[in-house]
Amino acid sequence: MLVVMKAQATQEEIQAVCDQIEQMGFRAHPLPGAQRTAIGITGNPGEIDRGSFEDLSGVADVIRVSKPYKLASRDVKEEDTIIRFPGTDAAIGGQNLAIVAGPCSIESREQAFAIAEQVAASGAQFFRGGAYKPRTSPYAFQGLGVDALKIMAEIRDQFGLRIITEAIDNETLELVADWADVIQIGARNMQNFSLLKHAGRLRKPVLLKRGMSATLDEFLMAAEYIMSEGNYQVILCERGVRTFADHTRNTLDLSIVPAVQKLSHLPILVDPSHGTGKRDKVLPMARAAVAVGADGVLVEVHHQPDKALSDGPQSIYPSQFAVMMDEIEQIAPVVHRTLPRGIRVETGAA
Ligand code: PEP
Ligand code: MN
């Protein structure tokens, strides 16, 4: 159920509707839009009597939402969600493309700084590196943990880049939330509902990667888990799915971008690194991702990929990243987008 407020509804009127919803034992999710505020209702086991709201002042309409995802749906919010980073000009969603780059794993301070310096020089606004790695083998490099989080915080101070890193469980979630600007939830955890709910109780943006075999509905329902707890800052990320095709590590499903955009207001990035697993396929698919209308791309970059402790074969060189930025910059206007170069950080907002 969705309560649509009149365009001129006051804050007090919106609050009164929320109070009424909470008094009924349900949860109210006011989502302000450009024209009007809509209030999503969750936690109701069945139909709610429309009459409970129709007569409240400021209410324009009461609508039944038929889709299983409500807060992630365009029914609740027509306009695209834009996630902003206070004190900077960076955003994910909206007119500007968001470019996320960095190594799969933070391996050392030197490695991380070498890569950060070069991706910042090419104009990336977001630096992503793994501190906690969900590896297929328990014997593979598991990440530097808190030390990596500290290195990334230094990188934010030095280059202004906003930091994205993965949390793999409820314990690392708290740590990542303390240090990073965006919490990544990886493909393997897309249906870890306990983790999704915990992330929903935080007030930090969450980058949610598509599960290896998740359908569109399952993907949006995972986002809904986070939003149902009150965290509406969800960024979706397509990273390829498992298919019979074996010329790439995964099959990058670019058609999910327009499919998501039709149903949901949430921004969606594309990760052609995990999506292909092969360095020579990353640039072509990054170009395609922008052309298809993605809100940005996430790529793995390493200055010495042959020595990388994880995902070396799919990591592009910093020189290739520079080429990718030039190419994306040219494609962007065709799809009515702009590629910002570099991040502007207000003094005191590091
Ligand atoms: C990663 O981003 O390094 C990663 C492990 O990605 P995914 O969860 O998409 O496999
Ligand atoms: Mn990786």
Side-chain angles (χ1 to χ4, degrees):
M1 191 79 95
L2 180 64
V3 181
V4 180
M5 301 301 291
K6 289 180 183 156
Q8 66 278 17
T10 63
Q11 221 29 63
E12 289 70 38
E13 288 171 331
I14 294 169
Q15 192 55 50
V17 174
C18 293
D19 290 347
Q20 166 87 349
I21 294 167
E22 306 275 341
Q23 269 165 31
M24 293 167 85
F26 311 136
R27 187 157 185 165
H29 302 268
L31 296 170
Q35 306 300 329
R36 40 78 168 162
T37 290
I39 305 168
I41 305 175
T42 60
N44 50 310
E47 285 262 334
I48 305 176
D49 176 22
R50 296 161 56 101
S52 323
F53 304 104
E54 272 172 345
D55 297 336
L56 292 182
S57 109
V59 171
D61 204 358
V62 183
I63 305 170
R64 226 178 72 79
V65 181
S66 54
K67 304 209 178 58
Y69 36 87
K70 302 177 193 305
L71 305 173
S73 157
R74 279 216 192 264
D75 294 350
V76 171
K77 185 166 176 275
E78 245 173 81
E79 312 81 20
D80 294 339
T81 285
I82 303 176
I83 315 261
R84 299 188 191 279
F85 295 84
T88 78
D89 63 344
I92 301 182
Q95 157 83 24
N96 282 350
L97 292 171
I99 308 298
V100 182
C104 181
S105 299
I106 301 295
E107 299 163 3
S108 68
R109 197 173 176 280
E110 294 65 38
Q111 172 248 18
F113 267 75
I115 298 164
E117 184 177 6
Q118 301 200 57
V119 298
S122 293
Q125 293 186 320
F126 298 90
F127 182 77
R128 195 204 66 119
Y132 303 96
K133 298 305 301 177
R135 303 302 299 280
T136 303
S137 163
Y139 309 118
F141 178 61
Q142 305 285 310
L144 294 182
V146 179
D147 289 341
L149 298 177
K150 291 181 182 166
I151 292 168
M152 284 186 276
E154 271 189 68
I155 284 174
R156 175 176 43 218
D157 289 346
Q158 177 139 352
F159 302 104
L161 297 165
R162 299 297 100 170
I163 301 301
I164 304 182
T165 194
E166 178 167 357
I168 53 172
D169 51 26
N170 289 332
E171 192 185 323
T172 55
L173 182 67
E174 303 293 330
L175 285 162
V176 166
D178 283 346
W179 290 91
D181 299 293
V182 178
I183 303 156
Q184 175 175 322
I185 294 187
R188 288 156 194 80
N189 269 319
M190 192 207 81
Q191 284 191 317
N192 179 340
F193 300 118
S194 162
L195 185 61
L196 298 176
K197 280 196 208 170
H198 276 88
R201 288 177 206 137
L202 301 172
R203 293 294 173 267
K204 273 257 157 115
V206 176
L207 176 89
L208 177 66
K209 297 189 94 180
R210 180 181 181 186
M212 307 207 183
S213 60
T215 63
L216 173 57
D217 270 12
E218 288 164 344
F219 195 13
L220 292 177
M221 287 309 284
E224 187 78 14
Y225 257 94
I226 299 168
M227 300 176 84
S228 70
E229 294 291 332
N231 186 354
Y232 311 121
Q233 296 191 289
V234 179
I235 303 145
L236 303 169
C237 181
E238 159 62 25
R239 47 78 72 202
V241 289
R242 280 253 165 105
T243 68
F244 55 84
D246 57 4
H247 62 286
T248 48
R249 178 178 176 184
N250 292 295
T251 296
L252 191 63
D253 178 16
L254 290 178
S255 70
I256 203 165
V257 173
V260 159
Q261 288 168 340
K262 187 166 180 187
L263 296 171
S264 176
H265 53 86
L266 295 174
I268 178 162
L269 303 182
V270 169
D271 168 1
S273 301
H274 295 86
T276 66
K278 300 200 171 154
R279 184 176 308 131
D280 65 343
K281 300 186 175 50
V282 173
L283 264 65
M285 295 312 277
R287 295 193 297 262
V290 172
V292 85
D295 293 295
V297 296
L298 181 161
V299 286
E300 289 188 337
V301 181
H302 202 295
H303 64 316
Q304 294 171 324
D306 296 345
K307 295 192 181 147
L309 296 180
S310 59
D311 286 349
Q314 68 191 32
S315 300
I316 57 172
Y317 288 93
S319 57
Q320 290 179 291
F321 180 72
V323 171
M324 185 195 88
M325 292 293 272
D326 289 344
E327 292 177 347
I328 286 178
E329 190 166 44
Q330 293 180 62
I331 297 168
V334 179
V335 285
H336 316 291
R337 301 281 188 144
T338 311
L339 177 70
R341 293 281 193 156
I343 184 164
R344 266 162 290 285
V345 181
E346 285 166 20
T347 40

